[in-house]
């Protein structure tokens, strides 16, 4: 007998290569349905989530998803009261949608009429409606007719209960959201960036806001079955938050978020099909979380890695400029072209080892060379670079003394901090201001910085 | 429509008995003004005098408690195309995924129409507007990487891209560098020479005489308005800045407590 590893499977065996191929090639009907559904969901939530994030409404979406629970339970009870078994998915989702919207209106109402801020309003609506939902759910399970057993699946999601028509609905909704996003991306961008400016031009900001939140509600509702209402907000926020680290353009951000959402859905569904007893929704969210860590560390737009790299580069440039200036000033002081390591150590508060290390770097970059008698000397290139650095430093010092009223004995340190970021533009402004052409004399004794 | 007595329908902005209140606390009281056409007009007054509120109320951005505003004799909502707006720089999040050109192109949205893509000529107009404020080289720069003054110039360019006849600017000179100040002054002169009306909320009393033709001295109500030479006097300034009007502010505080 062939063991079938679909999502609803529950055996504990590790997946074989054959099974992996089976799952990835979507041979199983069940897997196919779930993968299609969650990929559609990931795409839609990535797109809408981008605007939600830029509108700074991420937590509102969390309240919205929790507020769907009483809607599901109430819809079930209404349907049972009208004689059905209460399992019609469309009816349950309609209830969820309606209550999700009520949740958002509740937040807006609290914000408008009380002195409470957004976070408190969200906390109140989220907890109260979720509590109401749990109570209604309990009442629903105790109804004599109808079977409410499946309802709790909406809380944490139960992807294995999806059938082909569900996946098709999700795909249809996703397609609709792609179209709406293409049509409204210009207006939503304006709404998120500068609402007031849009309003002056006659942009219907309130309507746009309502449509955006309605889209959020729709995405949340189609996420209920697979990811569940507790985690639905993750699908909206995380792909968009990841995309932020990869781009500074909103169009690229939209595409990146859709792609990350879609990929996470696919990988999550496949992983949970391969590893038995892994719930699909949480696995998808974990994979989103994995992408977030990758983006946060390696993303080119403000990622941890790139930030650290820029800092290290700046640090290296600054220390090179320091040693160049030290060498130049020592030569200026002694009126000779060569110097020893001890000379540098004497005028600077650095250790001998640090100076040696810096000099080795200078040698590597051909700005200084070592002479046979353990003396050092600036090369032509190094001399030119050093005189530029010294000049900037002293121009800044003179500026500080002349215009900022800082005592000459204090300017060295202040100039140290700023000289490395002086651009050509600023330097020429300084020159003009101070009417300087050559290198000014140091306003303080060189070598007293201890 | 019959005009209120004493107000002209040819004034770019005429304000009748405008009162604005936040949370029942009035911030503007009985403002009645006809703004002259083709002039540079400064709105001057102490903090909390309602300067920003005045221009926001004209553009329907804050609800009016009473009164009405006419733009060339018609309500604002029918004359949107005639009005361009430079909001305060701090009013938006500059860490937004968009470049300078993208922001300036927003000034074209009103004339492109909703849900339609940007046309080629709109991109060109936006680019020209950036050029006019000396920011053409920064068109593709992400806005968070611009300095404060450069951001202010981007906002100014966006208003220029709107290509209107009346310009409202909310503190465009607030904490900007010398290059930006110069760029703004040039733009103001250019706008005046083409017959536009520019209303600027301004905080720097030193430069009022140099930059503007007309001045509106505001402290919850209009203290004085008219040509700078006639109105911008020590006496009027003392009236504008010399403490709050005890009776009026007391009445306001009482209203707010109720």
């Amino acid at each position: 007998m062939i063991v079938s590893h679909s999502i609803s499977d529950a055996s504990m065996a590790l997946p074989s290569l054959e099974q992996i191929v089976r799952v990835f090639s979507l041979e199983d009907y069940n897997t196919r349905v779930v993968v299609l559904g969650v990929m559609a969901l990931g795409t839609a939530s990535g797109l809408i989530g981008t605007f939600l994030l830029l509108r700074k409404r991420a937590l509102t979406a969390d309240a919205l998803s929790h507020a769907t629970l009483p809607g599901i339970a109430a819809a079930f009870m209404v349907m049972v009261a009208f004689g059905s078994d209460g399992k019609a998915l469309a009816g349950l989702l309609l209830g969820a949608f309606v209550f999700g919207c009520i949740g958002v209106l509740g937040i807006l109402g609290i914000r408008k009429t009380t002195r409470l801020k957004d976070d408190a309003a969200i906390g109140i609506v989220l907890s109260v409606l979720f509590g109401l939902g749990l109570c209604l759910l309990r009442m629903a399970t105790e109804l004599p007719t109808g079977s409410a057993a499946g309802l709790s699946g909406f809380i944490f999601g139960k992807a294995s209960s999806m059938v082909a028509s569900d996946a098709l609905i999700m795909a249809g909704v996703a397609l609709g959201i792609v179209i709406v996003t293409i049509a409204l991306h210009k207006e939503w961008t304006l709404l998120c960036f500068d609402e007031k400016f849009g309003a002056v031009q006659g942009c219907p900001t309130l309507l746009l806001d309502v449509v955006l939140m309605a889209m959020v509600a729709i995405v949340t509702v189609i996420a209920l079955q697979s990811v569940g209402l507790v985690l639905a907000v993750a699908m909206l926020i995380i792909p968009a938050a990841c995309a932020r680290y990869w781009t500074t353009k909103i169009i690229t951000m939209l595409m990146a978020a859709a792609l990350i959402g879609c990929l996470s859905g696919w990988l999550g569904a496949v992983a949970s099909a391969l590893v038995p007893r892994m719930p699909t929704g949480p696995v998808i969210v974990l994979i989103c979380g994995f992408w977030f860590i990758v983006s946060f560390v390696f993303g080119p737009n403000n990622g941890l890695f790139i930030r650290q790299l820029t800092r290290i580069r700046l640090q290296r440039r600054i220390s090179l400029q320091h040693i160049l200036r030290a060498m130049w000033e020592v030569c200026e002081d002694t009126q000779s072209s060569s110097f020893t390591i001890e000379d540098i150590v004497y005028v600077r508060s650095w250790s001998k080892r640090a100076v040696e290390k810096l000099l080795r770097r200078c040698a590597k970059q051909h700005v200084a060379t070592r002479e046979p008698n353990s003396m050092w000397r600036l090369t032509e290139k190094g001399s030119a670079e050093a005189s530029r650095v010294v000049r900037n430093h002293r121009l800044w010092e003179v500026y500080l003394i002349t215009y900022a009223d800082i005592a000459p004995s204090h300017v060295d340190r202040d100039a140290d901090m700023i000289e490395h970021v002086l651009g050509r533009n600023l330097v020429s402004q300084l020159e003009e201001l101070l009417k300087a052409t050559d290198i000014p004399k140091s306003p303080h004794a060189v070598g007293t910085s201890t | 429509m019959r005009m209120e007595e004493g107000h002209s329908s040819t004034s770019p902005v005429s304000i009748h008995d405008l009162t604005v209140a936040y949370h029942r606390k009035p911030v503007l009281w009985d403002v009645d003004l006809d703004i002259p056409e083709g002039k540079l007009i400064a709105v001057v007054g102490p903090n909390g005098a309602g300067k920003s509120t005045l221009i926001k109320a004209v553009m329907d951005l804050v609800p009016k408690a009473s009164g009405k505003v006419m733009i060339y004799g018609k309500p604002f909502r029918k004359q949107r195309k005639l009005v361009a707006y430079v909001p305060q720089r701090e009013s938006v999040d500059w860490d937004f995924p968009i470049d300078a050109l993208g922001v300036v192109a927003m000034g074209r949205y009103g004339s492109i129409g909703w849900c339609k893509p940007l046309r080629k000529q709109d991109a060109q107009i936006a680019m020209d507007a950036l050029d006019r404020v000396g920011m053409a080289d920064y068109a593709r720069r992400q806005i968070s990487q611009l300095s404060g003054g450069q951001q202010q110039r981007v906002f100014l360019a966006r208003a220029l891209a709107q290509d209107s006849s009346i310009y409202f600017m909310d503190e465009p000179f607030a904490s900007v560098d010398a290059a930006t100040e110069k760029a703004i002054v040039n733009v103001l002169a250019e706008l005046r020479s083409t017959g536009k009306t520019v209303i600027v909320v301004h905080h720097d009393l030193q430069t009022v005489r140099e930059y503007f033709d007309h001045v509106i001295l505001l402290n919850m109500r209009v203290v004085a308005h008219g040509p700078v030479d006639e109105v911008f006097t020590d006496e009027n300034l003392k009236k504008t800045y010399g403490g709050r009007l005890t009776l009026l502010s007391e009445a306001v505080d009482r209203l707010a407590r109720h």
Side-chain angles (χ1 to χ4, degrees):
Chain A
M1 194 183 125
I2 298 164
V3 184
S4 124
H5 275 271
S6 69
I7 281 167
S8 51
D9 200 278
S11 87
M12 281 297 285
L14 278 173
S16 69
L17 185 67
E18 188 197 341
Q19 285 154 3
I20 292 174
V21 172
R22 261 177 80 93
V23 170
F24 270 92
S25 60
L26 303 180
E27 274 179 38
D28 283 319
Y29 176 75
N30 249 349
T31 318
R32 214 156 32 195
V33 165
V34 173
V35 166
L36 172 70
V38 293
M39 280 174 82
L41 169 67
T43 311
S45 60
L47 291 175
I48 294 301
T50 299
F51 287 111
L52 188 71
L53 200 74
L54 293 175
R55 189 91 177 110
K56 304 190 166 72
R57 291 273 170 80
L59 280 177
T60 310
D62 197 25
L64 190 157
S65 65
H66 281 78
T68 56
L69 187 61
I72 292 166
F76 173 81
M77 289 194 281
V78 169
M79 287 192 287
V80 168
F82 281 97
S84 88
D85 66 350
K87 278 201 162 155
L89 189 66
L92 295 175
L93 294 189
L94 182 68
F97 179 79
V98 169
F99 266 76
C101 294
I102 290 176
V104 173
L105 291 178
I107 293 169
L108 293 180
I110 290 176
R111 195 172 46 182
K112 245 200 155 108
T113 53
T114 69
R115 276 164 198 262
L116 291 175
K117 299 278 176 273
D118 247 8
D119 54 347
I122 287 167
I124 293 167
V125 168
L126 183 151
S127 50
V128 169
L129 284 179
F130 191 61
L132 176 70
L134 290 174
C135 292
L136 288 180
L137 203 63
R138 184 58 181 270
M139 285 163 66
T141 48
E142 280 168 13
L143 284 181
T145 53
S147 87
L151 290 189
S152 57
F154 287 109
I155 298 179
F156 299 115
K158 201 173 176 205
S160 56
S161 68
M162 279 169 62
V163 293
S165 63
D166 302 340
L168 283 178
I169 290 174
M170 288 164 91
V173 167
L175 185 69
I177 281 177
V178 170
I179 292 169
V180 171
T181 307
I182 290 173
L184 287 179
H185 78 91
K186 185 167 122 269
E187 285 69 29
W188 274 341
T189 305
L190 180 56
L191 177 79
C192 296
F193 177 65
D194 194 348
E195 186 184 350
K196 294 248 151 101
F197 183 78
V200 168
Q201 290 195 59
C203 175
T205 47
L206 184 68
L207 182 69
L208 283 172
D209 223 0
V210 168
V211 173
L212 179 60
M213 288 321 284
M215 292 298 134
V216 171
I218 288 172
V219 171
T220 307
V221 164
I222 64 163
L224 289 179
Q225 214 184 355
S226 50
V227 182
L229 61 88
V230 175
L231 291 178
V233 71
M235 294 301 292
L236 284 161
I237 300 174
I238 304 177
C242 295
R244 201 82 173 75
Y245 283 98
W246 295 97
T247 175
T248 56
K249 289 199 171 61
I250 189 155
I251 301 289
T252 332
M253 186 179 164
L254 282 166
M255 290 192 282
L259 184 73
I260 291 168
C262 184
L263 264 182
S264 305
W266 175 57
L267 287 176
V270 164
S272 69
L274 283 173
V275 186
R277 292 198 185 138
M278 273 295 155
T280 312
V283 172
I284 295 174
V285 172
L286 283 178
I287 288 172
C288 286
F290 167 75
W291 287 129
F292 180 75
I293 293 171
V294 170
S295 308
F296 164 71
V297 175
F298 297 106
N301 180 31
N302 234 354
L304 204 62
F305 189 69
I306 206 91
R307 273 208 322 252
Q308 207 59 25
L309 201 69
T310 339
R311 235 185 56 194
I312 290 171
R313 274 202 195 128
L314 182 70
Q315 214 73 73
R316 283 178 69 94
R317 208 182 56 171
I318 288 177
S319 55
L320 190 73
Q321 290 184 350
H322 275 153
I323 188 86
L324 277 171
R325 185 157 65 86
M327 292 190 287
W328 201 93
E329 284 181 339
V330 165
C331 291
E332 181 193 41
D333 203 34
T334 59
Q335 294 289 318
S336 73
S337 59
S338 52
F339 47 87
T340 61
I341 292 177
E342 282 71 26
D343 287 338
I344 304 283
V345 174
Y346 179 73
V347 298
R348 284 288 179 265
S349 49
W350 308 328
S351 72
K352 195 175 169 187
R353 268 187 58 192
V355 173
E356 278 169 348
K357 208 173 139 196
L358 278 169
L359 282 175
R360 274 201 300 277
R361 249 180 68 204
C362 289
K364 225 187 242 169
Q365 299 194 9
H366 305 294
V367 291
T369 51
R370 188 179 186 158
E371 300 191 317
N373 52 357
S374 84
M375 297 286 273
W376 285 78
R377 180 171 64 78
L378 278 163
T379 64
E380 203 169 309
K381 179 185 164 200
S383 191
E385 175 70 12
S387 58
R388 193 186 60 82
V389 170
V390 171
R391 185 153 178 269
N392 285 358
H393 179 82
R394 293 193 183 161
L395 277 176
W396 189 251
E397 281 182 335
V398 175
Y399 172 77
L400 286 181
I401 293 165
T402 322
Y403 291 94
D405 264 343
I406 294 176
S409 52
H410 282 73
V411 290
D412 194 27
R413 180 139 271 158
D414 291 332
D416 256 5
M417 287 185 286
I418 203 88
E419 68 180 39
H420 310 287
V421 293
L422 285 180
R424 190 164 303 150
N425 215 341
L426 263 172
V427 171
S428 60
Q429 274 184 38
L430 276 179
E431 283 166 359
E432 199 180 312
L433 198 63
L434 302 169
K435 300 190 174 41
T437 44
D438 58 344
I439 303 173
K441 277 201 159 23
S442 180
H444 55 85
V446 173
T448 51
S449 56
T450 43
Chain B
M1 186 181 291
R2 195 183 68 86
M3 292 306 301
E4 308 284 309
E5 226 171 297
H7 283 289
S8 91
S9 65
T10 55
S11 167
V13 184
S14 72
I15 302 168
H16 314 273
D17 297 332
L18 174 71
T19 296
V20 178
Y22 285 137
H23 300 291
R24 301 187 54 194
K25 182 170 177 164
V27 282
L28 277 181
W29 198 291
D30 241 353
V31 173
D32 207 77
L33 274 177
D34 272 333
I35 286 172
E37 191 173 17
K39 302 280 188 222
L40 303 182
I41 298 130
V43 181
V44 172
N47 285 335
K51 304 186 294 282
S52 295
T53 308
L54 176 66
I55 63 171
K56 282 183 183 158
V58 170
M59 292 181 288
D60 284 349
L61 287 175
V62 295
K64 304 179 190 58
S66 71
K68 66 180 168 186
V69 175
M70 293 294 181
I71 305 290
Y72 283 113
K74 288 183 191 157
F76 172 75
R77 60 174 193 284
K78 291 189 177 159
Q79 303 279 51
R80 288 184 196 284
K81 290 232 160 75
L82 298 181
V83 175
Y85 177 37
V86 180
Q88 280 184 23
R89 180 158 56 85
E90 294 79 20
S91 65
V92 303
D93 176 8
W94 288 91
D95 191 22
F96 194 88
I98 196 166
D99 58 22
L101 189 65
V103 173
V104 177
M106 286 177 179
R108 300 301 305 157
Y109 286 8
S111 54
I112 295 169
W114 310 114
C115 299
K116 285 187 210 144
L118 214 63
R119 297 161 301 188
K120 231 190 190 131
Q121 75 243 41
D122 295 312
Q124 190 54 50
I125 292 171
M127 200 61 214
D128 290 345
L130 270 175
D131 197 33
R132 281 164 74 185
V133 297
M135 288 286 293
D137 293 342
Y138 298 89
R140 289 291 168 200
R141 190 76 70 89
Q142 207 258 321
I143 53 171
S144 67
Q145 315 212 325
L146 300 173
S147 74
Q150 290 170 333
Q151 291 173 347
Q152 187 67 59
R153 278 188 269 166
V154 168
F155 260 10
L156 188 63
R158 184 174 67 171
L160 292 178
Q162 286 183 272
D163 193 24
S164 311
S165 1
I166 306 169
Y167 289 77
F168 288 101
M169 304 185 182
D170 203 343
E171 304 249 13
F173 291 105
S175 56
V176 296
D177 52 289
T180 301
E181 179 136 358
K182 214 163 131 190
I184 301 174
V185 170
N186 286 343
V187 166
L188 289 181
E190 196 185 313
L191 290 172
R192 173 168 48 189
S193 70
T194 49
K196 317 279 191 190
T197 307
V198 189
I199 296 114
V200 180
V201 172
H202 197 59
H203 64 288
D204 182 14
L205 295 177
Q206 317 285 335
T207 51
V208 170
R209 269 176 203 287
E210 192 184 339
Y211 295 164
F212 298 98
D213 311 317
H214 267 61
V215 66
I216 298 169
L217 293 170
L218 196 73
N219 191 351
M220 289 179 63
R221 81 233 188 278
V222 176
V223 177
H225 72 105
V228 173
D229 293 338
E230 295 168 23
V231 171
F232 200 64
T233 59
D234 281 349
E235 195 191 346
N236 278 337
L237 281 174
K238 217 173 273 167
K239 268 199 235 164
T240 315
Y241 286 85
R244 298 172 64 191
L245 290 156
T246 32
L247 207 65
L248 186 55
S249 59
E250 197 173 303
V252 165
D253 284 343
R254 279 197 194 171
L255 266 175
R257 276 201 298 272
H258 275 282

